[in-house]
Amino acid sequence: MSYLKQKKFTIILFVLFILIYPAVVQTAEIEDPAGRKVEVPEKINKIAAVGPGALRLIVYLKAEDRIVGIEEFEKRNQKRPYILARPELLELPVIGPQFGGDSELLAAADPDLIIASYLSSAELSHLQNKTKIPVISINDGAPGSMTEEDFRRALRFLAEILDKEKRAEELLNYMEVQKAELKEISRNSAVSKRVYIGGIGNKGAQGISSTEAAYPPFQYLGLENIIEAEGKSNFTISKERLLLEDPELIFIDQGGIELVKNDLNREEFKYLEAYQKNNIYQLLPYNHYTTNFATMLADAYYIAKIIYPAELADLDPAVKADQIYKKFVGKSVYDKMADIFGGFKKMQLN
């Protein structure tokens, strides 16, 4: 072969290599929390997150720069800390409605990986078949709010795939430090109060009778909801039960604040001790498109400030909330949350 022909042949081979090589993607098989074995790219530059909590965890891991689209719900309902902290996400294309997106819009966004939550194994596989894009789940698809155990497992699972292990451990360690501090505050105090949480959302806003067993902010402080229910998370009680138990302090999730105000206008609730002594306090809603863990911690510190004022004389709950938000979502967003929901304050009673 002549030199010129050999050179031409070499150039052609090089061009073909350049054209073909990008299509050869190195993959690795992983097993997601739903028990599905999925081939995912070893290098993931573009991701889409669908379903409750999925996008939140991506922001927690500081991987939001890889997001190529968001659900329509995220644009329409901008009331969660991760969206308030990262408004640039609102400029991205819509990839479908909430709870799973749209297969055609997801395919058009062309992510390397789709990260989903609260979809059954059949739904996950169907989405993968329709989009021709690997789909993994951050949980087992069972209904219900994301627990701390779910959160730790999902965060570490995603961190390994996205090469964000250091960030995941930093965040989980920070959370444990805050919980230990809260536990220490309650352990060193002789104060004991009978407390109740109301207005907890469940498929929408709920009134004062909607409560929660094993309410995490109470648990961090060694407190117990005056009304518990074994084997349940969110549940509704009768007004007679609330009047009978008659808690000293009532905390209200602001997601249901208007319904709670209507309830407290009823004559019978005015006999509650907490009403009589003006001891009803408002918290930021922590369960919005599943659990907002930063808000959950911030609420716990405000509760601690109310119950243990002497021990926390120097604590400003708003400042503490911003410290927590900055750690989780990268920005101080308490003021924005307070503008939307009302913020930490005593409820104004008639």
Side-chain angles (χ1 to χ4, degrees):
M1 183 183 293
S2 69
Y3 169 75
L4 289 176
K5 285 184 178 180
Q6 185 175 358
K7 184 175 181 181
K8 185 177 180 180
F9 181 71
T10 302
I11 292 171
I12 291 171
L13 286 177
F14 178 75
V15 171
L16 287 172
F17 176 79
I18 294 297
L19 291 173
I20 294 170
Y21 180 75
V24 180
V25 177
Q26 297 296 314
T27 63
E29 185 181 74
I30 59 99
E31 182 173 337
D32 69 14
R36 297 166 59 253
K37 288 182 170 58
V38 183
E39 289 282 341
V40 302
E42 287 189 354
K43 189 171 181 58
I44 299 168
N45 297 314
K46 299 183 296 179
I47 52 181
V50 296
L55 181 57
R56 178 183 295 111
L57 264 60
I58 301 303
V59 175
Y60 282 1
L61 288 173
K62 295 185 177 181
E64 65 272 7
D65 59 324
R66 305 189 209 179
I67 292 288
V68 296
I70 63 173
E71 292 174 307
E72 183 273 336
F73 170 73
E74 302 285 13
K75 292 199 176 194
R76 173 171 45 85
N77 191 315
Q78 302 166 25
K79 297 180 179 180
R80 288 162 303 287
Y82 59 94
I83 287 293
L84 296 173
R86 299 296 169 202
E88 65 271 17
L89 293 172
L90 300 172
E91 303 301 318
L92 295 173
V94 169
I95 54 174
Q98 65 193 101
F99 300 116
D102 175 271
S103 58
E104 291 184 4
L105 293 175
L106 281 162
D110 193 31
D112 301 319
L113 180 68
I114 298 171
I115 297 166
S117 68
Y118 297 101
L119 295 178
S120 68
S121 292
E123 289 170 323
L124 293 164
S125 296
H126 178 72
L127 184 60
Q128 181 166 302
N129 291 334
K130 292 278 287 184
T131 60
K132 309 302 180 187
I133 297 166
V135 179
I136 59 170
S137 178
I138 61 173
N139 51 37
D140 63 6
S145 297
M146 183 177 285
T147 66
E148 279 191 52
E149 183 179 350
D150 297 333
F151 171 60
R152 285 190 292 270
R153 187 185 305 115
L155 198 71
R156 285 179 170 138
F157 169 67
L158 286 183
E160 185 175 355
I161 293 171
L162 301 177
D163 194 23
K164 290 285 186 177
E165 292 96 335
K166 184 177 178 181
R167 167 60 181 168
E169 294 311 312
E170 173 194 357
L171 195 57
L172 292 173
N173 289 339
Y174 174 82
M175 191 169 180
E176 290 306 311
V177 168
Q178 305 311 301
K179 289 167 57 180
E181 182 178 66
L182 289 164
K183 188 174 183 179
E184 193 68 16
I185 291 166
S186 59
R187 181 188 290 128
N188 294 334
S189 176
V191 175
S192 178
K193 296 287 185 181
R194 300 170 67 252
V195 296
Y196 172 78
I197 176 68
I200 296 291
N202 182 18
K203 298 178 181 177
Q206 303 293 329
I208 197 169
S209 297
S210 179
T211 190
E212 184 167 338
Y215 179 58
F218 284 175
Q219 290 193 314
Y220 298 160
L221 291 162
L223 301 169
E224 186 174 287
N225 190 356
I226 196 171
I227 302 170
E228 290 281 351
E230 189 175 345
K232 293 185 179 181
S233 177
N234 176 257
F235 62 102
T236 300
I237 61 169
S238 67
K239 63 181 181 182
E240 290 80 10
R241 178 77 185 279
L242 181 57
L243 290 166
L244 179 65
E245 298 293 348
D246 199 18
E248 297 173 75
L249 294 172
I250 293 177
F251 294 93
I252 299 297
D253 185 294
Q254 286 174 331
I257 194 66
E258 294 305 318
L259 293 175
V260 171
K261 287 178 181 177
N262 290 338
D263 288 337
L264 292 176
N265 282 331
R266 298 174 61 163
E267 197 63 32
E268 59 267 32
F269 285 122
K270 295 179 182 179
Y271 290 97
L272 288 167
E273 179 181 348
Y275 189 103
Q276 295 283 325
K277 294 184 177 179
N278 198 22
N279 280 330
I280 303 179
Y281 300 87
Q282 299 181 30
L283 305 171
L284 291 171
Y286 86 93
N287 196 2
H288 194 195
Y289 214 38
T290 202
T291 311
N292 290 276
F293 289 91
T295 298
M296 191 165 69
L297 274 178
D299 283 344
Y301 273 96
Y302 179 60
I303 293 169
K305 174 74 173 183
I306 299 303
I307 297 179
Y308 312 111
E311 290 82 353
L312 295 173
D314 296 330
L315 175 73
D316 183 331
V319 171
K320 185 62 180 180
D322 269 339
Q323 291 173 358
I324 294 168
Y325 283 133
K326 193 167 183 179
K327 192 68 176 180
F328 275 77
V329 298
K331 288 186 181 178
S332 303
V333 295
Y334 172 78
D335 285 346
K336 291 180 179 179
M337 291 287 285
D339 286 344
I340 295 169
F341 297 107
F344 299 140
K345 59 184 179 182
K346 183 174 285 192
M347 196 159 187
Q348 296 299 309
L349 304 172
N350 294 335

